[in-house]
Amino acid sequence: MLALTVFLFSVFHALHAADSVPGPWIDYPADGTATMTHYTIPDGYIAACGCVGDSTKYPTAALSQMAYGSSTAYGPACGRCFKLTLLNTYTSDPPFFPNVVKSLVVKVTDLCPLSEAGWCSGRQNKTNPGGQYLNFDLAFPSRAIPDDFFPSNESFYGYKDFGVWNISYQTVPCLSNWAGAKNKAALGSVADLGDSVCCPANPTGSPNDTCPSFSDDNSIP
Ligand SMILES: *[C@@H]1O[C@H](CO)[C@@H](O)[C@H](O)[C@H]1NC(C)=O
Ligand SMILES: *[C@@H]1O[C@H](CO)[C@@H](O)[C@H](O)[C@H]1NC(C)=O
Ligand SMILES: *[C@@H]1O[C@H](CO)[C@@H](O)[C@H](O)[C@H]1NC(C)=O
Ligand SMILES: *[C@@H]1O[C@H](CO)[C@@H](O)[C@H](O)[C@H]1NC(C)=O
């Protein structure tokens, strides 16, 4: 009887887990619009992709899980570089449109976990609260980015940090665009080292230079 109960309990759990599978990864275009938030990672920190610690000396970002392509460890987005351009804010009242165009090139080194309603909640069939499928979570403040990178109008809004931006993104080759490209140590020229890290210097999407999905490879939902 106990064995049967345990068996039924396991079946229930398996079905329940299948229910909550978040669906397919997002096959996002090379260029598009997204939201951008920011988060802090300690200097030298080795984030989800397993890129070398020196990557934190240059602009890096976490990408929302369903675009990142894995729920755990590394995914196909690891090491990819994107030029991100600030468009406007809209959680502020009124929305803020900066009178300067600010861009920066980031390397993806981290995973922004899927949530139900947060900025990294975008799925193939569902946008985040900003109406976007992708969110880039910028490592900021960072010694690689000027403190005044984000335009603001403190005298009008009463605060400087808008928190969330509407941005455009453009896929760019890391070697000719990312500030850390000349520092071999920061570039993380590391191919898939079995089950621990995967941080290619310049992933192109080809299987020979792009990370697989750790969670798919290990049947982790
Ligand atoms: C989106 O896809 C997931 C997984 O395939 C599914 O569970 C969910 O109901 C879908 N949501 C919408 C709004 O279609
Ligand atoms: C701040 O916003 C106010 C109201 O929109 C505007 O009049 C002012 O020029 C802005 N200042 C800056 C520095 O953008
Ligand atoms: C974000 O920018 C795009 C492109 O300008 C625009 O179409 C969209 O309405 C903006 N979204 C928000 C929430 O401001
Ligand atoms: C990786 O694949 C690309 C295209 O599929 C090819 O051009 C390139 O030579 C390959 N590189 C290596 C190191 O095999």
Side-chain angles (χ1 to χ4, degrees), residues 70-152:
S70 177
S71 64
T72 313
Y74 52 77
C78 284
R80 287 190 72 172
C81 291
F82 295 91
K83 181 179 181 185
L84 308 178
T85 302
L86 302 177
L87 297 177
N88 62 285
T89 71
Y90 50 91
T91 56
S92 59
D93 183 22
F96 174 65
F97 290 81
N99 53 19
V100 286
V101 179
K102 291 278 193 94
S103 301
L104 87 176
V105 174
V106 299
K107 189 172 173 75
V108 172
T109 62
D110 205 1
L111 156 68
C112 181
L114 179 67
S115 59
E116 251 336 290
W119 297 103
C120 290
S121 64
R123 301 176 183 215
Q124 196 191 49
N125 62 358
K126 178 179 166 286
T127 57
N128 71 15
Q132 303 286 1
Y133 292 96
L134 271 60
N135 184 64
F136 290 88
D137 203 7
L138 180 71
F140 180 86
S142 156
R143 64 161 121 168
I145 303 169
D147 285 342
D148 66 356
F149 173 71
F150 288 98
S152 63

Side-chain angles (χ1 to χ4, degrees), residues 15-203:
L15 290 174
H16 196 75
D19 267 0
S20 59
V21 167
W25 308 124
I26 299 171
D27 184 18
Y28 54 91
D31 299 353
T33 55
T35 50
M36 179 160 88
T37 49
H38 59 82
Y39 77 126
T40 46
I41 60 171
D43 229 23
Y45 185 75
I46 298 186
C49 296
C51 296
V52 287
D54 271 3
S55 62
T56 60
K57 291 180 178 165
Y58 304 95
T60 64
L63 183 58
S64 48
Q65 178 173 319
M66 299 314 287
Y68 179 88
S70 177
S71 64
T72 313
Y74 52 77
C78 284
R80 287 190 72 172
C81 291
F82 295 91
K83 181 179 181 185
L84 308 178
T85 302
L86 302 177
L87 297 177
N88 62 285
T89 71
Y90 50 91
T91 56
S92 59
D93 183 22
F96 174 65
F97 290 81
N99 53 19
V100 286
V101 179
K102 291 278 193 94
S103 301
L104 87 176
V105 174
V106 299
K107 189 172 173 75
V108 172
T109 62
D110 205 1
L111 156 68
C112 181
L114 179 67
S115 59
E116 251 336 290
W119 297 103
C120 290
S121 64
R123 301 176 183 215
Q124 196 191 49
N125 62 358
K126 178 179 166 286
T127 57
N128 71 15
Q132 303 286 1
Y133 292 96
L134 271 60
N135 184 64
F136 290 88
D137 203 7
L138 180 71
F140 180 86
S142 156
R143 64 161 121 168
I145 303 169
D147 285 342
D148 66 356
F149 173 71
F150 288 98
S152 63
N153 184 346
E154 194 175 8
S155 59
F156 181 74
Y157 288 96
Y159 56 86
K160 267 190 178 156
D161 187 354
F162 290 103
V164 190
W165 282 80
N166 189 30
I167 64 164
S168 63
Y169 71 87
Q170 193 189 345
T171 303
V172 295
C174 292
L175 297 181
S176 45
N177 291 278
W178 189 53
K182 291 188 181 67
N183 181 347
K184 276 268 184 286
L187 204 48
S189 318
V190 176
D192 181 4
L193 295 183
D195 61 1
S196 54
V197 299
C198 183
C199 185
N202 199 36

